[in-house]
Amino acid sequence: MLPPTPKQSDSSQPHQPESTTIDPQLIEDLCASCRTGDIATVDKLLSLGAPVNHVDSFDNTPLYLASLCGHEDLVMMLLQRGAVCDSDKYEGVRCIYGALTDRIRKMLLSYDMSKAVDANLPFAIHFRGLVTELNGVTQDFAIRVGQQGDKLVSDQQQNSIVRCHRFILSARCPVFLEKLLDDWKDLSYIDLSQTYKDELALRCILDHIYLIHDPTKFAKVNKHTLLEYTQLFELKEYTTQLQYYLTLTNAKDKAKFNNELQVAIYNDSRIDLKGLVMQNVIGNKLVVHYDDEVSEASYSEDEEEESEPELSEYQLSRLRLSDSTYPDLIISVSDASKNQMVYYPVHRSVLIRLDYFKVMFDSSFTESQYFEIDPHFNILSREQSPRIVNLPVESTKVAEIILKYIYFDHTDIPLDHSVEVLKAADLLLNDRLKTMAAITITKSEDLLPSGFDIYDILRTAWDCRVERLEHHVAKIIAEDLERFSRDPKFLQIVKESSERIKARQETDTIELIDDIRYYLAKKWAIDHDGLFDGQTESEEFLRLLPDYNSYLEEMDKVEALLEGLNLDA
Amino acid sequence: MQSRRPKIRPPRKSLTAALDFPSIWSTLSQSILQILNQNAGSLSFEELYRKGYNIVLKKHGGILYESIGGVISGYLEGCYTKLINVEEEGDGQVLDRVIQLWRDFEISMKLISDVFLYLDKVYTRENHLLLVYDHGVTLFRDLIIKRDQGKIGNLINEKILDLITANRAKGAMIDFFKIKEVMMMYLSLEETDENGVLIGETYYTLFFERYYLDRSGSFYEGLAGEQFQLGNGRAYLKWVEGVLLDEENKMSLYLNAETCEKLRMLMSRICIVSKIDQVLRFPQESLRDWVHLRKEEELTLLYRLLSRAGYFDGLLVQIDEIIKDEEGLKSPSLDGQGKEKVKISQVSTVFVTQVIALKDKYDQILRYLSTDANVQKTIETSFTSVLNPAAAAAATSRLSEFLSYYIDEFIKKSKDSNDTEISAFLDNAIVIFRFIKDKDVFEKFYKNHLAKRLLKAQSEKDDDLERMLIDRFRNEIGSTFTAKLEGMFKDIHLSRELSAKFNHKNLHVSVLTKTFWPIQPTETSSLINLPSVLEDLQSQFTQYYTNCFNGRNIQWVYNFGTVDIRVKFTKKLHELNCSIYCGVIILLFQEFEQITYKELKQVTQIPEAELKRALLSLSVAQRTRVLLKSPMSKEFQDDDVFKFNYNFTAPLTKVKILTVITKQDTDATRSETLKETETDRKYEVDAMIVRVMKSNKTLSHRELIEEIIKLSAKRFEPSVGFIKKRVEMLIEREYLRRDETDSKVYHYLA
C-alpha cells in the first residue's frame, strides 16, 4: 500500500483502507439523519461503515449538517467517531461558521485534529478495555515484554508481563496466529523481551493489537525500531501508517497523524474481527439435528427429557481445538424451525458486552464457577473444556446477527429478523442493539418483517419499551386510516392501548390515538403548534388550508371509532 | 426418530404461550431461599433470569415483586426469631451473629437482584418502587434491626458502646473492624418516607449516631470532671491533648467523616470550651504563671487545644486581666519621695524602657500563641488601656509627656550612639507612640521639646535623627500629624541660609513661621528696651528681611535667644553665654554702677517673670554670680540693689549662664500645654462636626457621634459629653439645628 495521496474531492478523508466503493445511498442516509438529529440512526449507519467525512450530493459533510442544525450530542458523537473539523480546510471552516450555537462551535474548535480520537465505535472501546482486569480474568496467554525493575520504561509502574487473549492475538497478527498454532501451542507464557529489546516498541505493538493508540507512548517510542517490529510482526496496516508518518516533516501533519492512525486502526481491526467471526466463530459452528445421534458415548436412555444437551468429548474438542478460535465458552442456540441445535465457539470477554452475560458471569451462580485460573500468571487455565451456555434466541440467523454485532458492531439487521433481534436484545439487556433493530423497522417505511402484522410490531414495541417503534406504527396507521379503521384488529389494539394506560396512571389519553392524531396532522400538513403560538384565530387560518377538510374527516373517523369502543380520549 | 429421542427440544414460543405463574414461582421462591442460604453456586442464572423475564413479559411484574418481598420477609422473620432466642439464652454473640447475617444477606441480595434485573429495569422503575436490592435492604432494616422498637438495633448499639467505652477507659483491646462492619451495615440501611421513597438518611445517621454521641459525651464529661478536680492546669491540658489524640486515631477506624467531626466538636466542647476558663485560673500551673515565666510548651499546647475548639474568648479576657495587673505599666509618681528630687527626664526613660521590656515579653508570649491576630489585638488594646487610664484622661495619663521626655533625653545624648542603639530607640519610640491615645497631647509636648532642640542645634547634621523619627511618625499616622513639625525643620533650614546671606558674624537669627511653632510672641516681649548694640543689629536685620521678603511682618521673640558677652573681670577675661534677657541686664552695667530692682523693671521693660528668672540666674545661682544682690535672698523687692561683681571667677574662660527653671515654672508650662490642647480640640471637633454635617446634611445624634469618634481616633479620644457640648455650641452659633420633631436629629445650616 502506498501512503495516501489526498484527493481534492474528499481531502478530509486521508485513509480508506476498506474498499473504496461506498454505497452513495449510505452517505445520503447519513447526511439526512444528521439533519434531523437522529442520533441512533447515525450511530447505526456509522457502524455499517458509512464514511463519516464524505459529502452528500449537495456537498455537505455530516458534521456540517449536524452543526448547522444544532444537534449538540450528534456533533459530539461524530467528532468522537473521527469526523474531522480542520480549520485549514474549506469543510472545517464551513462547520465552524455554520455552527448554530456557541457551544457547538467551541466543541468543534476544541476537537482539533491533533487530538486523539478517544472513542470510536463501542466495540473498539470494549476491546481496548480487555487488557485491564475490569471485566474479570479472561486472558489466557502471558507475554513478558521487559525486564523487571527496568527503570527506563517501568516509570508507569507497568507490569513487565502483559496478559493477552490468544484469539485476539491470532485475529490481529499473522505472526501470533502462526506461532500460537505451532511453536507456542502448548505454552501459556512466552518471553519476548529477549528477542524484542525495545520494551516500549513492543508494548506499542501489543497496544495496536488491542486497538489502543496512546499518543504519549507513541511520542516517546523510537519510530524506526517500531517500524522494524511492525514488519517483523507483519502488521501491514500499522507498517503502512508508520512509513507514511516517517515521510511527514510538518509538525502539524504529525499531530494530525494521531487521529488518522486511530481511524486506520479501527477500520483495520474491524476487518480482522469480521474475519474472526465469519471464519472461526460462525465458520466453526457445530450443527446437531434433533434426530441425530448426538454421540454414542454420552447418550444414555434414562436421561431426563428436558436436560441440557450434552456434546460428546469429541465434538467438544473439535469446537475447542478448531484452528485459532481459542474459545473459552460455547453458546448453544436451539433453532426450532430447522429442528436443530447449533453450537458456536465464542469468547466470554466479548460476550460480556451483553449485560445479560456480564451479570451471569459476575455473579456466583453456577455459570460463573466454571473458569479455572492459573494462579501463576493470573490467566485462564488451558486445561478445561469450554462451557456451554445457551443463547436465548430463536434462530441461528438471529444468533449470528448478535454475534456479528458484539464482535465488530455489525448493525445491519435484516428486516425479517428485526423483531426477533429486538426481543433478544431486550432479554439480553443491550439497549443499543435494540435501537438498531428498531431503526431497521422504522426505516423500512410500510414494509413489515414477514410473519408479523402491524399490531405485532406495536405489541413488541410496548413489551420492549421502544417509543420510536410506537410512533412508527401510529404513522403507518395514520397514513392509511381508511383501511385500518375497518380492521377489527385495529379496534382491538386501540382497546389494548387504552387499557395499558389506565392500568398505569388513570389518565384519559390513549397513547396510540394521540400518536395517530399527531401523524394525521402531519399527513395533511396541519400544524397546530407552530404557526400561531396556539392562538384561537388559527382556526380560521386552518380552514384555508387545502387539506383541512380531509384532516377533519379523518379526525372524525377517529372520534367515531372511539365512540364505538365506548372510549373517551 | 423424533418421537424416540426428543432430547433437545425447542423452547416454546413465548409470544403466545400462557403463563403458569404459581408453578414458575414455586421454583423461583425455592431458588431465592437457596440463594439466601448461601447456595447460589448450584443454581443456574440463565434459568432463573429467564423465569423472571417471562413473568415480567407477561405483565405479572407486580405480583412477582411482592412475592419476592414476601419470601425475603419470611426468611428474615426466621432469622429474627433465631437471633432473639440466641440472645435470650445469654449467648452473648448477638453482635457477631448480626454481622454474619448481614454479610450473607447483602451478598444474597446482590445475587437476587441480578436474577431480577429485568424486573428492576422494566417494572420496578416504571412504578417508582425500590429496586429489588434496596427493597431487601429495607426489609432487613425493618424486620431485623428495627423490629420490636429496634430491639436488635438497640442491643447492638449498646454492645458496641460498651466495647468502645471499655477501650476508652481501660485501653481494652477491641476489634475495630468488627465495629466498622456494623457501621457499614448501618450506613446501608437507608430510611424511607411514608411513600417508601429513600430519603438519604440511614439508620446510622438517624439512630446510631445520636446514641453514640450521647454515650461518648457522658463518658468524657465524667473523665474531664475528674481531671478538673486535680486542679493542675498543665496536667489538665496534657490530659486533654492525650485524650483527643487517642480518640482521633481511633475514630477514623470505624466512624464516617461526619460523625468524626461531630465527635471532635463534642469533645472540644466538653473538655475544652466548658472548662478551660476555670482551668486557666487554677491556683497552680495556670495561665498567669505561664505568661510570667514565659512557658513556651504550655502556651503552645494551650493554643493548639483552643484552636481545635475554636474558642478563644476566655483566653483573651484573661490575658487582658494579666496585662492590666502588670505593675510596670502603671505611670510612676513624680512626687519626690522624701527629699530626693525626681527628675522627669529620668523617670521617663526608666518608664519607657520598662514598658518596652513588657511589650517584648508579650510579643514573645504572642509568638508562643501562634501569633494569633486576636491575641495580638487584645495585647495591644490592653496595653493602650492601661497606659491611658480613662479616668480624667489628661490629668493622670502622662504617657505622652514621658515619651516626649524620653525622646528629648535620648536625642540630646545621641552624639555617641551607634546605629543599633538608634534603631532600637526609633522602634521603641514608635511602640510607645502607638499606645498613646491622645496623640495631640503628645504633639504639644513633643513640639516644645523639638523647638528647643532645633533652636539650639548648630548644623544640619544634628537633624538627621529628628527627621528619621518624624518619618516614622508620619508612616504611623499620616502626614497631617507631622506637617507642622516638618514646617519647623523648614524654618530652621531657611533661617540658616538667610543668616548666611545676611552674613553678620555677630548675629544669627531664626525666622519662625508663627503657626508652626509653640513659641508665640507676646505684646510685651517686643517692647523691651534693648541696649543700643543689640538694637542696631536688630534693626539692620529687620530692614534686610523686609527687603528680602516684601510684605512680611517680623516680630521678635527673645525667650530662646542667647548672647555672648566678653567681660574683663578682675582676674581674668570671661566669655559669658546667656539668655538675651540676662545680656540686656549685664549690658546695663556699662552705664550704671548699681541699680535697684524697680529701676531695672522700668529701664529694661522685661516682663517681671522673665526678669526675675534672669536675675536669679545672674545673682542667686551659685556658680554664675555675675551680679551682687543686696540683700542676698531669693525674693525680689523693689529696692533691692544690684551691682556688677568684678571679682567673678570661673574655672573656664567660657561661662554658660543657665536660665533657672523653677518647679512652678514646669508645672505651669505643663498645665498650659494641656489647656492649649483642650482649646485645640474644641476647634478640631467643631471643624469635624461641620465637615461631617456639611457632607451629610442630616444625621442622627448617634451617627454623628460615631462619625466624629471615628474621625478623631487617630489623634485623640473625645468623650461623648465633650462632643455633645461642641454640638450645643454649634447649634447656638447656628451652624446646625435640631429637627423640629425629633430632637435626636441634626440638620446642617448652610
Side-chain angles (χ1 to χ4, degrees), chain A residues 233-294:
Chain A
F233 280 101
E234 295 174 33
L235 297 170
K236 286 199 190 118
E237 179 62 26
Y238 204 10
T239 307
T240 318
Q241 292 290 340
L242 266 180
Q243 281 165 342
Y244 166 63
Y245 178 81
L246 289 172
T247 65
L248 297 175
T249 47
N250 180 322
K252 199 172 173 195
D253 288 341
K254 286 189 182 187
K256 286 179 186 175
F257 176 76
N258 279 325
N259 191 321
E260 292 165 8
L261 182 61
Q262 289 265 301
V263 177
I265 291 177
Y266 150 67
N267 286 325
D268 184 38
S269 63
R270 202 150 179 240
I271 298 168
D272 290 341
L273 291 165
K274 190 171 177 181
L276 171 76
V277 174
M278 301 318 285
Q279 285 160 35
N280 298 352
V281 177
I282 298 176
N284 277 326
K285 70 181 168 190
L286 181 69
V287 182
V288 181
H289 286 277
Y290 287 129
D291 42 3
D292 272 0
E293 290 277 336
V294 172

Side-chain angles (χ1 to χ4, degrees), chain A residues 288 290-294 299 301 303 305-310 334 336 339 341 343 356 359-360 363-367 369 389-390 392 394 423 426-429 431 452 463 465 504, chain B residues 1-15 35 40-50 53 57 59 107 110-115 117-118 121-122 126-127:
Chain A
V288 181
Y290 287 129
D291 42 3
D292 272 0
E293 290 277 336
V294 172
Y299 175 69
E301 279 291 342
E303 262 195 315
E305 284 192 347
E306 299 221 11
S307 70
E308 275 284 302
E310 263 181 49
S334 129
N339 218 15
M341 197 75 172
Y343 299 89
Y356 170 79
V359 173
M360 175 187 282
S363 299
S364 51
F365 289 102
T366 167
E367 286 92 342
Q369 304 194 337
V389 173
N390 182 257
E394 289 171 17
K423 283 183 179 169
D426 186 46
L427 168 69
L428 296 170
L429 304 170
D431 287 342
F452 295 93
D463 283 347
R465 304 162 312 284
R504 270 216 304 251
Chain B
M1 288 284 269
Q2 201 174 351
S3 58
R4 193 172 67 87
R5 200 168 275 180
K7 194 182 161 199
I8 303 169
R9 59 170 55 162
R12 284 173 289 264
K13 270 234 163 188
S14 55
L15 257 180
I35 295 174
S42 63
L43 301 168
S44 157
F45 171 79
E46 183 192 347
E47 187 194 334
L48 300 178
Y49 175 84
R50 295 200 53 190
Y53 170 81
L57 212 56
K59 312 276 177 271
I107 295 169
K110 174 81 184 58
L111 292 174
I112 293 170
S113 83
D114 280 350
V115 166
L117 201 56
Y118 196 79
K121 197 174 168 178
V122 175
E126 284 195 3
N127 290 281

Side-chain angles (χ1 to χ4, degrees), chain B residues 519-530:
Chain B
I519 302 156
Q520 299 301 329
T522 53
E523 283 172 38
T524 46
S525 64
S526 46
L527 297 175
I528 291 170
N529 287 326
L530 291 176

